[in-house]
Amino acid sequence: MFKTEEMEINLGPQHPSTHGVLRVKLHLDGETITRCTPMIGYLHRGVEKICENKTFFQGQVWTDRTDYVASVSNNLGWAEGVEKLFGITVPRRAHYIRTMLTELNRITSHLLWLGTHALDIGAMTVFLYAFREREEILSIFEAFCGARLTTTAFRIGGLREDLPPGLEKLVRAFQARFLDCIDEYETLLTENRIWKKRTIGVALLNAEDAIALGVTGPVLRAAGSNYDIRKAFPYASYAEMDFEVATQTAADTYARYLVRLEEMRQAHRIINQCLDGLPEGPVMAKLPKVLKSEVNEVYHAIEAPKGELGYYFVGEKGGQNPYRMHIRAPSFINLQALSKMVVGRLLADVIAAIGTLDVVLGEVDR
Amino acid sequence: MASPRYSLLRTLIPFDIYGGMKLTGKYFGKVLRQANRGLKRTHVVVEYPEVPTTLMPRFRGRLQMIKDEQGEVKCVCCMACEKICPTQVITIEKGKKEGRKTPFPIRYDFEMERCIFCEFCVESCGFDSIILNHQFELATYNREDFSHAMEGGFQNMFDPTPVSHYSVSSED
Amino acid sequence: MTPTLTQYLVISLLQIVVVMGFVMTLVPLLTFAERKVIGYVQVRLGATRVAGGLWGAQRGRTHQSRTFTGGLNGFMWWLGRWPVISIFRGLPMFIADALKLLTKEDIVPIEADKAVFVLSPALAMVAAFTVFAAIGFAPGALFYFPAKFPYLGGLPFYGFLTDLNVGLLFILGVASVGVYGIVLGAWASNSKYPLLGGLRSAAQIVSYEVPLTLSLLVPVVLTGSLNFNEMSTRMATDIPVNGLVGIGRTLLMFVGFFVYTTCGFAETNRTPFDLAEAENELVAGFHTEYSGMKFSFFFLSEYASMITVSALASAFFLGGHYLLPFGLQPTWNHFFQNSPSAFLAWTCTPSILWFLLKIFFLLFVFLWVRATVPRYRYDQLMDVGWKFLIPYTLVMFVIAALLRYAA
Ligand code: SF4
Ligand code: SF4
């Protein structure tokens, strides 16, 4: 007489908390998820194909536009990948400055994540507090390279220009108050009973599953693994830096929250070391006028805020463009874990899971 | 982490929420007192457009050509900027001008709608003849307003873009 | 002097106009206050200007010349120079909001059940506003018409509509009708997100009605009254704070107040219990398909029920028309009733001022909490209601009964 049926519901592509144009098809039994399929591609621009038609020098501007909240990290991956392809050695000072800016960028990315994730779970105020600090870092980027979001910060072989006068003061002023700011976010969230209820035990993903799915970054480290490319395969000047890899073992949303907060603290430490130990010298290596590649292939991975960001280049003889270019985008690969995390849980947990994976749709779709 | 001895007490009395309320209350009080345009303020709002924003010296705005002291166009048509531009928005035509030894760009078109403000063009120019100025209020209602050209064109390369709330062409 | 029937009707009408006018202006002001309070908490300014200006919107002014659009915005910009007045910048926003909602297109989805779709916002609104008939804002007469006043000379003008002796019952009964507006509206929209929101809301309000009522029973048992005026009078005069019983009463009221406020948050669908309209999960919850005036009906009824909950809390826990909350007033009266200072003696008398101040403070707390805490999940909300609040209130109820017995 009466029959119950599953409800199919589309979360997105226009939805307040899918962080862009992610569409998640959900099958609901009451409010319990029985099936979850993320559908992507709404922001596909063919960045990889475009980059194959641009020179190595020009290609960097497209990396700004994949993960647009961590563009400095992407620039670093591109620049170092190309340098590896051509065997260019970058001056030490340039490495230090790159490291510093990348860590600042890690903080902006995590702050944006923290703000939006907390907003999704209903805590509105953390969002604005996090953006207050993010704003300050973006001004530092503006002072360094002239743009706040699409930075194009580095050049192949080093940096375009040295640090502008006064930038060190800006960074130090930010450093001086940032730890207190993290404490503020913690006051609002860490011990809060509602926050704990909404995050502890939610969206579990244990280490085996994470490794099997190729998930990297804070999501993996919250499951107990300490895989961090900054330590495992040091690049830039991370080998000279003294920092710890933040790990947790609970593998849930709360653990990922703690890992990211700790990463911000570690980033703060690294920036201080970069500022204190900044070596003198040039910031640009000697380069040939036109870069022409040999038949060669290179994979270079860095620890982007969201996980392992890899750039894969294939060169052809005498080519000014990469013959093939591929981005191993952490957001794209981490997003696979979504269905594993949410099946059998409630609708509200999907929102928490999307937030905790920290996907940026520009990078998922490319 | 406090000891588990008080865990029942902590469940019954929401200290955690009290801590958060204290913090937000503190900010509320501070901003309430300093919500005006005083020197000392807690809030982070810039009341744009009434208060102009401050830009860093390296800010990358619109592409602009510059002239030297004699009022002569500095560009010598080396085409470096045209070649480096990732979005190919610069189109240059080489030409001659009387009384000038170096080549003169008779056509220098810049389509701002596709420019991504990367500053590669300025970097590649060995003659310092172009800059990215500090303009960012560049929105208009018309596509034509984005096409910049040498003097005599609709929008010219040498002056900052006139900023308007409404379309230039619909202005009576 | 007893009024004749027509005089009585005229005065009642006037009272209705005054009380409803007060509520109807308080609600939009509350939306403005919400913008401001949450803005200030979040280290920004909230509303400071009205788009385009209500008059004198000007064409073609450039950013470079740094002029303003419209005289009103210019005035508000000027206000921004002064330390305290600058808080009221953006006040015209609430008029603009109302105008916007009034003039928006009213969309009824084709697949919706039209009659129910139209009816349910009205239901929610009527339920939320009828409640004010039984709320005693003022103690006794607000003022007397002067003797020379035509027709009504010498008659009292009350600050409330009716002085029901079962005021609390009436309020709880009528307010619980409001949930039908939400559920029916959600169902009639014939859309998935509203359906989920409506179901959540139904379950939530039904389960939170129990602890809400139980916690309200604590002061009712302690004083033995359901009437607003009598409640505050008895609390101020009957309960002496001396001995263990008195202290126990005060403590119980104190705890009861917090429990009641928690349930009140759930009753009014406010953060941390705003699951029915959790915009990050359900887009806009039960009113996703509503627009224009119909949406604003839901909106207004939510804010109106916030005022109701605050009024109940201040009458039943915070001492109502008297200065001090939690039954501390008798002690205060004991010391200051016959004090020579006129001001101190005045603080011992009931006044509408205290009542309104308490309501405003509680409304502020509503906004403050909204800016601070995250949102519960659906099942956790049920947990909190059934496993935490109901046992808590039951225990309190028993203690209250024992205290009553001991007194
Ligand atoms: S800024 Fe970049 S995109 Fe714009 S014209 Fe120059 S090179 Fe081209
Ligand atoms: S690079 Fe400079 S000089 Fe060469 S064409 Fe461009 S603007 Fe002219």
Side-chain angles (χ1 to χ4, degrees), chain C residues 35 37 45 58 80 87 91 98 102 109 115 130-131 149 165 222 236 240 244 306 319-320 332 366 376-377 381:
Chain C
R35 289 166 190 278
V37 170
L45 287 181
Q58 296 192 12
I87 295 165
L91 193 60
L102 278 171
T130 314
V131 167
F149 199 86
N165 52 1
L222 285 180
L244 222 51
M306 267 166 72
W332 181 269
F366 266 96
Y376 273 114
R377 204 173 61 201
L381 174 89

Side-chain angles (χ1 to χ4, degrees), chain B residues 65 74-82 90 92 105 108 121 124-130:
Chain B
M65 290 177 84
K74 274 171 103 179
C75 174
V76 294
C77 296
C78 71
M79 305 291 187
C81 54
E82 187 188 302
I90 302 174
I92 306 171
Y108 193 110
C121 46
S124 72
C125 180
F127 303 87
D128 292 337
S129 50
I130 42 179

